[in-house]
Amino acid sequence: MNNPTEAGGVATDPTDSPGPVVEAPRVLLHMPVDVRSLSLAVLATLAGVYTLRWASEVFIPVMLGLLCSYALSPVVDWLQQRRIPRAASAALLMLGLVFGAGSTVYWLSDDASKLVELLPAAAQKLRVSLRALPGSPDSALTTVQKAATQLEQAAEDVNRAGALNRGVQRVQVEKPKFDIKDHLWSGTLGLMGLLGQLGTAALIAFFLMAAGDRFRRKLVKLAGPTLSRKRITLQALDQINDQIQRYMLVQLFTSVLVGLATWLCFLAIGLEHAAVWGIAAGVLDLIPYVGSVVIAGGSALVGFLQFGTVEMALLVSGVSLVIHFLEAFLLTPWLTSRTNKMNPVAVFIGVLAWGWLWGVWGLLLGVPILVIIKAICDRVEDLKPVGEFLGS
């Protein structure tokens, strides 16, 4: 047998045990965290959320007026260049918008009321048609509902028999009768509150457009005594103003385009009240994700009631979804610059949060508010991480 040392090898002792395994050093992130500052930030956030919810009747008209002023300021600037005073330009623009909106509502009021009346009948017809499909057994949900009804009836019979055997008097609570006066009163109060918020927002937008860059000059004056700080503040305010104004103009343009496309497509299909659907699609296009689903579902119900076939209902809803898909994933990203691109997850969570805070108004204003927050955070040094998180 050859000696391993003679062959140039290395002699090893099989009884030797391997040495201890040395772990690789862990990579640690060195992030300075000040517990006191973090606690104060959390408390300030909670206080801000509570204030926004508590004073929503004040903040909602202010935000509506601010966003309207951003979207309509280019028109006022154009009129001012034609030697029309700025206050008069803003007044003419607001009066024209109010007159146009009122005329549109009056023109479509009958069609809208008929459309609202058709929705319950469409839902009932769809439910009956799904239950009456030939050769289809009862679904699991229907079976569970029948079983639950039978169990509830059996429990009521047992309780009634036990009460009679013990001689216990049975008390039945009757629901109050339907009183249309209460519903009319609550509906009137809600409508008056909505009109009051819209009127307040219109006045705020008018004052902001009439003031022009007066508030911006005041902010520049408060920035500091040095000329460099004032110049940097003015540049940041101009960039924020341009970014928000660009987003509002793109959103307004795409909403009008979606409304026109929906109206023309539904008119070509033969769907009744196509103009109402077009206006609803344009308004609900301001609500990401939710607006397209509402229009597609409602138009499918009405299409099924009108045409009587599931295929036509799917065609109507499919056309609506295709229009919103082309607008949301092709047109808007092409028109919007990279600085305005938002993180889809942050947008979805933000819409949910603002919807919880302000209801329907929060759904409408959620994305513009996020755009404003991102534009401000991108220009403030200490808030750049927030802007980076909101961006795509």
Side-chain angles (χ1 to χ4, degrees), residues 94-302:
M94 295 305 300
L95 289 176
L97 289 176
V98 171
F99 178 76
S103 301
T104 304
V105 171
Y106 178 77
W107 177 48
L108 297 175
S109 58
D110 294 336
D111 291 340
S113 61
K114 293 178 182 179
L115 183 59
V116 172
E117 292 175 358
L118 287 177
L119 291 178
Q124 181 67 23
K125 184 177 179 180
L126 180 61
R127 189 183 303 112
V128 172
S129 300
L130 292 177
R131 290 181 178 178
L133 288 176
S136 62
D138 290 341
S139 62
L141 181 60
T142 304
T143 305
V144 171
Q145 289 177 349
K146 290 181 179 179
T149 303
Q150 293 176 0
L151 290 175
E152 184 179 357
Q153 184 65 32
E156 289 181 358
D157 294 340
V158 171
N159 292 332
R160 188 181 300 111
L164 292 176
N165 293 332
R166 293 192 301 270
V168 179
Q169 186 177 2
R170 186 169 177 265
V171 179
Q172 183 178 1
V173 179
E174 295 184 357
K175 296 181 179 180
K177 295 181 179 181
F178 176 78
D179 191 359
I180 192 173
K181 295 180 180 179
D182 296 337
H183 293 272
L184 288 176
W185 178 250
S186 60
T188 303
L189 291 179
L191 180 60
M192 294 300 294
L194 176 62
L195 294 177
Q197 287 182 335
L198 291 177
T200 306
L203 288 176
I204 293 174
F206 165 74
F207 289 132
L208 289 175
M209 288 187 295
D213 58 349
R214 186 180 305 166
F215 291 100
R216 185 169 52 182
R217 292 199 304 266
K218 291 182 178 295
L219 290 176
V220 171
K221 186 176 181 180
L222 296 174
T226 62
L227 184 61
S228 60
R229 288 184 62 89
K230 291 182 179 181
R231 183 170 59 252
I232 293 174
T233 303
L234 181 60
Q235 292 176 356
L237 290 176
D238 289 338
Q239 292 176 359
I240 292 172
N241 181 76
D242 294 340
Q243 187 171 342
I244 298 173
Q245 193 172 80
R246 189 185 307 117
Y247 170 80
M248 293 303 301
L249 290 176
V250 168
Q251 191 65 43
L252 183 62
F253 173 74
T254 54
S255 297
V256 172
L257 197 61
V258 166
L260 289 175
T262 303
W263 173 44
L264 294 177
C265 290
F266 284 1
L267 194 63
I269 294 174
L271 187 68
E272 296 178 352
H273 314 298
V276 178
W277 284 112
I279 294 177
V283 173
L284 292 179
D285 184 65
L286 300 172
I287 306 176
Y289 312 116
V290 179
S292 59
V293 174
V294 171
I295 293 296
S299 61
L301 283 176
V302 176

Side-chain angles (χ1 to χ4, degrees), residues 82-102:
R82 301 300 183 275
R83 299 184 181 278
I84 300 177
R86 191 171 186 86
S89 302
L92 289 175
L93 181 59
M94 295 305 300
L95 289 176
L97 289 176
V98 171
F99 178 76

